[in-house]
Amino acid sequence: MEEIAIGPVHPTMLEPHRLRLFVEDEIIKDAELVIGTNYRGVELIMEGLPPEKITNLAEKICGICSHIHVWTCVKVVEKACSIEVPLKAEYIRAIVEELERLHSHLLLFGHAYEVLGFETLTYRAFLIREHVLKSLQNITGGRVQYSCPVIGGVRPRCNIKKVDWLIKELEFIEEGIKKLLNRTIKDPMIVARVKEVGYLDKETAIKYHATGPTARGSGLSCDLRKRDYMPIYNNFEFEEIVLDDGDVLSRLLVRFYECFESIKILRQALDDILELEDIVYNPNYELKEFKPLDVYQEAQRGVVFYGYGLDENWRVRQIKIRTPTLTNLAAMEAILPDHHISDAELIIASCDPCFTCTDRMLFKKEIKLI
């Protein structure tokens, strides 16, 4: 048995990681995925800060799903301190989140095509994504990090006053994604590389706590937007996309169809938002001491978790953050054996990993000197 090491730099993956493959005749027999390069100690820095300040750090955990991190972070305080959030602010949070979901899924498509060697389709995915980023910039002022939610609502600069421009952008985005999907499923070379490759069965997905589109591609219904964890989504009609094939193609298709559901949500939100009372921030709240409280929300890659409390001085204590990539990577690592080495990075990429947002904890082994 031979070992092949991939990384820590890979041409198609933005973030450093090291994949150790143990192979026989180019067939993977065992695999080990190692991260650690991006450790920043975010949770350690957050300890002892006021809750208003940790939102700035939460946004830096991930550059692709920065909005959902901040939204989940402020929701802990809002829930514990019974802070009322204006309905229009909740609508804006949902609008930015669904645009961010489009942006994230399109980024994954681009990386997947790059791993497959279809760079033209990568550029097409990024062209559509550019319109999503411009829409986010028009609403929040930022293309990647938006600083939209704050405790009690959203920043006033994120208030949506007009919707016609965004409705037109959604038409272009939807049409572009339809063409991209059609091109993908009708290309025999693409289908040959992704169909029946990287099979994650339902039992293994449950065992490793796969989440988000990765789990839904293996037949698991798990979208928290449909389960009252995010009550604002009860105002919208949309479908939870669940497919049963469990391969790379299935995980890609879940994301493609989720894009159309996100556009459906956005159109409903834009139909309603201008009729709502034009208040997006509630400054009249009071913080109080509370024991660690957990909040779960549906990010683009799956469930994101924030839990912390406030001490008697209203400082953050016992903060814990978990991102969906943590368990999705474990599932991908488990299914690598029996695949060809050329499929390894494709399978890893198919769960849409974010190594940096996962890489927040280090275990230090103490060595006793005799």
Side-chain angles (χ1 to χ4, degrees), residues 325-347:
T325 297
L326 180 67
T327 51
N328 286 338
L329 277 179
M332 295 299 99
E333 183 184 61
I335 64 174
L336 280 174
D338 299 325
H339 287 88
H340 194 275
I341 56 174
S342 62
D343 293 326
E345 281 295 335
L346 174 63
I347 294 170

Short mmCIF file of all heavy atoms in Angstrom, two decimals, residues 325-347:
data_model
loop_
_atom_site.label_atom_id
_atom_site.label_comp_id
_atom_site.label_asym_id
_atom_site.label_seq_id
_atom_site.Cartn_x
_atom_site.Cartn_y
_atom_site.Cartn_z
N THR A 325 -19.72 22.07 7.88
CA THR A 325 -18.63 21.35 7.22
C THR A 325 -17.99 20.31 8.14
O THR A 325 -17.47 19.30 7.67
CB THR A 325 -17.56 22.34 6.72
OG1 THR A 325 -18.16 23.20 5.75
CG2 THR A 325 -16.39 21.63 6.06
N LEU A 326 -18.03 20.54 9.44
CA LEU A 326 -17.39 19.63 10.39
C LEU A 326 -17.85 18.20 10.19
O LEU A 326 -17.03 17.28 10.07
CB LEU A 326 -17.68 20.10 11.82
CG LEU A 326 -17.08 19.26 12.94
CD1 LEU A 326 -15.56 19.35 12.93
CD2 LEU A 326 -17.63 19.70 14.30
N THR A 327 -19.15 17.98 10.16
CA THR A 327 -19.67 16.62 10.01
C THR A 327 -19.73 16.18 8.55
O THR A 327 -19.59 14.98 8.26
CB THR A 327 -21.07 16.52 10.64
OG1 THR A 327 -21.91 17.57 10.13
CG2 THR A 327 -20.99 16.68 12.15
N ASN A 328 -19.95 17.12 7.64
CA ASN A 328 -19.98 16.74 6.23
C ASN A 328 -18.63 16.23 5.74
O ASN A 328 -18.56 15.29 4.94
CB ASN A 328 -20.42 17.94 5.38
CG ASN A 328 -21.91 18.23 5.50
OD1 ASN A 328 -22.69 17.36 5.87
ND2 ASN A 328 -22.31 19.45 5.19
N LEU A 329 -17.54 16.84 6.22
CA LEU A 329 -16.21 16.36 5.85
C LEU A 329 -15.96 14.95 6.37
O LEU A 329 -15.32 14.13 5.71
CB LEU A 329 -15.14 17.31 6.38
CG LEU A 329 -14.82 18.55 5.54
CD1 LEU A 329 -13.76 19.40 6.23
CD2 LEU A 329 -14.34 18.16 4.14
N ALA A 330 -16.44 14.69 7.59
CA ALA A 330 -16.28 13.35 8.15
C ALA A 330 -16.98 12.31 7.28
O ALA A 330 -16.46 11.21 7.06
CB ALA A 330 -16.84 13.31 9.57
N ALA A 331 -18.15 12.66 6.76
CA ALA A 331 -18.88 11.75 5.88
C ALA A 331 -18.13 11.53 4.57
O ALA A 331 -18.04 10.41 4.07
CB ALA A 331 -20.28 12.29 5.62
N MET A 332 -17.58 12.60 4.01
CA MET A 332 -16.84 12.48 2.75
C MET A 332 -15.57 11.65 2.94
O MET A 332 -15.22 10.82 2.09
CB MET A 332 -16.48 13.87 2.23
CG MET A 332 -17.65 14.74 1.82
SD MET A 332 -18.68 14.07 0.49
CE MET A 332 -20.05 13.37 1.44
N GLU A 333 -14.89 11.86 4.04
CA GLU A 333 -13.68 11.07 4.34
C GLU A 333 -14.02 9.59 4.44
O GLU A 333 -13.27 8.74 3.96
CB GLU A 333 -13.05 11.57 5.64
CG GLU A 333 -11.76 10.87 6.02
CD GLU A 333 -11.24 11.35 7.37
OE1 GLU A 333 -11.97 11.17 8.37
OE2 GLU A 333 -10.14 11.90 7.42
N ALA A 334 -15.18 9.28 5.02
CA ALA A 334 -15.57 7.89 5.23
C ALA A 334 -15.90 7.16 3.93
O ALA A 334 -15.73 5.94 3.85
CB ALA A 334 -16.77 7.83 6.18
N ILE A 335 -16.36 7.88 2.91
CA ILE A 335 -16.78 7.22 1.67
C ILE A 335 -15.70 7.20 0.60
O ILE A 335 -15.92 6.64 -0.48
CB ILE A 335 -18.07 7.86 1.10
CG1 ILE A 335 -17.80 9.32 0.68
CG2 ILE A 335 -19.20 7.79 2.11
CD1 ILE A 335 -18.98 9.98 -0.02
N LEU A 336 -14.53 7.76 0.86
CA LEU A 336 -13.46 7.78 -0.14
C LEU A 336 -12.95 6.39 -0.52
O LEU A 336 -12.61 6.15 -1.69
CB LEU A 336 -12.30 8.65 0.35
CG LEU A 336 -12.47 10.16 0.19
CD1 LEU A 336 -11.30 10.90 0.83
CD2 LEU A 336 -12.60 10.54 -1.27
N PRO A 337 -12.80 5.43 0.43
CA PRO A 337 -12.28 4.11 0.04
C PRO A 337 -13.07 3.47 -1.10
O PRO A 337 -14.29 3.65 -1.23
CB PRO A 337 -12.42 3.30 1.33
CG PRO A 337 -12.27 4.32 2.42
CD PRO A 337 -12.97 5.54 1.88
N ASP A 338 -12.33 2.75 -1.96
CA ASP A 338 -12.84 2.04 -3.14
C ASP A 338 -13.06 2.94 -4.34
O ASP A 338 -13.54 2.48 -5.38
CB ASP A 338 -14.13 1.27 -2.83
CG ASP A 338 -13.93 0.21 -1.75
OD1 ASP A 338 -12.84 -0.39 -1.71
OD2 ASP A 338 -14.85 0.00 -0.94
N HIS A 339 -12.72 4.23 -4.21
CA HIS A 339 -12.78 5.12 -5.36
C HIS A 339 -11.38 5.30 -5.96
O HIS A 339 -10.37 5.09 -5.29
CB HIS A 339 -13.34 6.49 -4.95
CG HIS A 339 -14.81 6.49 -4.69
ND1 HIS A 339 -15.34 6.21 -3.45
CD2 HIS A 339 -15.87 6.72 -5.51
CE1 HIS A 339 -16.66 6.28 -3.51
NE2 HIS A 339 -17.00 6.59 -4.74
N HIS A 340 -11.35 5.74 -7.19
CA HIS A 340 -10.08 6.05 -7.86
C HIS A 340 -9.54 7.36 -7.29
O HIS A 340 -10.29 8.25 -6.91
CB HIS A 340 -10.29 6.16 -9.37
CG HIS A 340 -9.02 6.14 -10.15
ND1 HIS A 340 -8.26 7.28 -10.37
CD2 HIS A 340 -8.37 5.12 -10.76
CE1 HIS A 340 -7.21 6.97 -11.09
NE2 HIS A 340 -7.23 5.67 -11.35
N ILE A 341 -8.22 7.47 -7.26
CA ILE A 341 -7.61 8.67 -6.69
C ILE A 341 -8.01 9.93 -7.44
O ILE A 341 -8.04 11.02 -6.86
CB ILE A 341 -6.06 8.56 -6.64
CG1 ILE A 341 -5.49 8.26 -8.03
CG2 ILE A 341 -5.61 7.51 -5.65
CD1 ILE A 341 -3.98 8.29 -8.07
N SER A 342 -8.36 9.82 -8.71
CA SER A 342 -8.76 11.00 -9.48
C SER A 342 -10.10 11.56 -9.02
O SER A 342 -10.44 12.70 -9.34
CB SER A 342 -8.82 10.66 -10.97
OG SER A 342 -9.78 9.66 -11.22
N ASP A 343 -10.86 10.76 -8.27
CA ASP A 343 -12.16 11.21 -7.79
C ASP A 343 -12.10 11.79 -6.38
O ASP A 343 -13.11 12.30 -5.89
CB ASP A 343 -13.17 10.04 -7.78
CG ASP A 343 -13.51 9.56 -9.18
OD1 ASP A 343 -13.56 10.40 -10.09
OD2 ASP A 343 -13.72 8.34 -9.36
N ALA A 344 -10.94 11.74 -5.75
CA ALA A 344 -10.84 12.10 -4.33
C ALA A 344 -11.24 13.56 -4.08
O ALA A 344 -12.12 13.84 -3.25
CB ALA A 344 -9.43 11.84 -3.81
N GLU A 345 -10.62 14.49 -4.78
CA GLU A 345 -10.93 15.91 -4.54
C GLU A 345 -12.33 16.27 -4.99
O GLU A 345 -12.97 17.14 -4.40
CB GLU A 345 -9.90 16.80 -5.25
CG GLU A 345 -8.57 16.92 -4.51
CD GLU A 345 -8.69 17.62 -3.16
OE1 GLU A 345 -9.63 18.41 -2.97
OE2 GLU A 345 -7.86 17.36 -2.29
N LEU A 346 -12.84 15.60 -6.02
CA LEU A 346 -14.20 15.84 -6.45
C LEU A 346 -15.19 15.45 -5.34
O LEU A 346 -16.14 16.18 -5.06
CB LEU A 346 -14.50 15.05 -7.72
CG LEU A 346 -15.95 15.07 -8.22
CD1 LEU A 346 -16.37 16.48 -8.58
CD2 LEU A 346 -16.13 14.13 -9.39
N ILE A 347 -14.95 14.31 -4.71
CA ILE A 347 -15.84 13.85 -3.63
C ILE A 347 -15.77 14.81 -2.45
O ILE A 347 -16.80 15.18 -1.88
CB ILE A 347 -15.47 12.41 -3.21
CG1 ILE A 347 -15.77 11.45 -4.36
CG2 ILE A 347 -16.23 12.01 -1.95
CD1 ILE A 347 -15.23 10.06 -4.15
#
